[in-house]
Amino acid sequence: TSSKIKVDFDQSSGVAVMHMQSPPVNSLSLEFLTELCINVEKLEMDKSCRGLIITSNQPKVFSAGLDIMEMYGKSPERCGEFWKAVQEMWLKLYGSNLVTIAAISGSSPAGGCLMSMTCDYRIMADNPRYSIGLNETQLGIVAPFWFKDTMVNTVGHRTTELALELGMLYSPAEALKIGLVDQLVPEDQVLTTATQIMTKWLAIPEHARQITKSMMRKPTIDKLTANREADINNFVSFITKDSIQKSLRMYLEMLKKRKA
Ligand code: CO8
């Protein structure tokens, strides 16, 4: 079985770099999410690991977000299983005790943006061809409350309102301006910058930093934890609607056409 995730762990610095390598665009399938969660969990349990950098080995793309094929023409049972894995990924990353840095080396729509926003710090490649944002409404679907909450916590309420209603995808410069990313660097310096920034974060007394992170994020995490089952049911009944399936089909066709 080919591995969709490669983890390089540097014992001496305590920093792990997780490379997503699921061609062509690191879309988050059930299989991919499961592998990702297992890897994060392993690092979380390893006492010698203190920092995690998430990046992509695929050219031009960080992650295309949730795998649309997991939401199209699938049984309610399968959709439920998939959604549980999406929740799991978010809970693990947003609640991580590790210092997490997203090294966003390419486009990062929807679930890719969500994954980036779970991190403590975001560094993006300064290439105007790339974009990042929660573009769900453009697919005719609705970003769930915890996607929304994560964005509100990152860029504030009004910016999130505009971003979500319009399904905005931001250029790196725009994303920096609204605070969706923290820093832009030339494309070939994304990972080295992430490593430098990590050193700064790791110099902060760990326990104080972890408690502070938890203080900032716990209310948001508790909200999903208390409503996981209802959130799954909500997703399944929404995504299996004929009208929503039709929207997804049209979006998939648009993606193919755009290519031609
Ligand atoms: N899922 C599945 N397949 C995908 C996805 C995806 N998210 N994104 C791209 N692909 C496929 C393309 O269809 C294409 O397939 P093929 O080679 O068979 O034609 C292949 O991957 C390569 O894609 P591109 O040719 O478009 O590659 P580019 O390098 O030109 O562009 C992008 C890369 C920018 C990532 C572009 O592919 C893109 O914009 N993709 C769509 C991204 C997107 O809109 N994702 C949204 C997913 S929804 C989500 O994450 C949250 C949902 C919340 C659910 C709430 C419901 C209640």
Side-chain angles (χ1 to χ4, degrees):
T1 63
S2 72
S3 184
K4 295 176 186 301
I5 308 252
K6 183 164 81 73
V7 177
D8 292 331
F9 180 46
D10 178 3
Q11 197 83 37
S12 66
S13 65
V15 177
V17 182
M18 194 167 87
H19 303 266
M20 299 185 280
Q21 45 180 31
S22 182
V25 291
N26 290 329
S27 66
L28 309 174
S29 63
L30 176 58
E31 199 191 338
F32 184 88
L33 288 165
T34 306
E35 198 179 321
L36 190 141
C37 282
I38 290 170
N39 276 290
V40 173
E41 200 164 309
K42 268 194 213 152
L43 296 170
E44 201 82 47
M45 283 177 354
D46 182 343
K47 288 277 173 291
S48 62
C49 181
R50 301 174 60 218
L52 170 63
I53 295 170
I54 303 176
T55 194
S56 163
N57 271 354
Q58 301 310 125
K60 301 186 292 179
V61 184
F62 179 73
S63 165
L66 303 191
D67 191 326
I68 296 167
M69 300 317 290
E70 294 279 17
M71 300 185 281
Y72 183 68
K74 291 286 192 291
S75 72
E77 293 70 29
R78 170 77 188 200
C79 287
E81 206 189 333
F82 172 64
W83 197 248
K84 198 172 171 199
V86 180
Q87 292 178 337
E88 199 65 39
M89 177 268 292
W90 180 82
L91 289 168
K92 283 233 152 63
L93 288 176
Y94 203 56
S96 176
N97 264 324
L98 305 169
V99 173
T100 53
I101 296 181
I104 309 166
S105 44
S107 284
S108 196
C113 176
L114 179 76
M115 189 190 277
S116 302
M117 288 191 299
T118 65
C119 292
D120 293 298
Y121 196 82
R122 282 161 288 287
I123 297 158
M124 189 170 186
D126 193 5
N127 181 334
R129 289 168 171 275
Y130 300 157
S131 65
I132 182 168
L134 294 181
N135 60 324
E136 277 77 357
T137 54
Q138 290 199 34
L139 286 74
I141 58 180
V142 180
F145 70 88
W146 42 286
F147 284 48
K148 178 265 294 173
D149 289 342
T150 310
M151 189 160 195
V152 168
N153 294 351
T154 310
V155 299
H157 196 279
R158 176 57 183 157
T159 302
T160 301
E161 185 169 64
L162 282 172
L164 291 189
E165 290 193 31
L166 297 171
M168 295 280 290
L169 286 170
Y170 297 93
S171 69
E174 292 165 335
L176 179 69
K177 197 168 154 207
I178 64 167
L180 183 55
V181 300
D182 298 298
Q183 193 175 343
L184 301 182
V185 295
E187 195 139 14
D188 58 349
Q189 289 167 31
V190 174
L191 198 52
T192 49
T193 308
T195 307
Q196 285 160 11
I197 297 284
M198 181 61 84
T199 307
K200 187 176 98 182
W201 280 72
L202 290 181
I204 304 296
E206 182 146 75
H207 198 54
R209 183 195 52 75
Q210 287 172 345
I211 292 172
T212 305
K213 180 172 180 175
S214 166
M215 175 179 73
M216 295 300 293
R217 296 184 174 196
K218 193 169 179 297
T220 307
I221 290 170
D222 287 350
K223 221 167 112 188
L224 178 61
T225 307
N227 292 293
R228 277 190 85 167
E229 219 39 62
D231 182 62
I232 292 173
N233 293 337
N234 192 52
F235 171 77
V236 173
S237 65
F238 181 82
I239 211 73
T240 54
K241 280 195 177 84
D242 286 344
S243 58
I244 301 303
Q245 288 292 306
K246 191 171 163 227
S247 295
L248 288 177
R249 190 178 67 236
M250 283 162 56
Y251 188 78
L252 281 164
E253 279 165 12
M254 183 280 291
L255 273 180
K256 305 267 175 226
K257 276 209 199 86
R258 198 193 51 150
K259 206 175 169 180

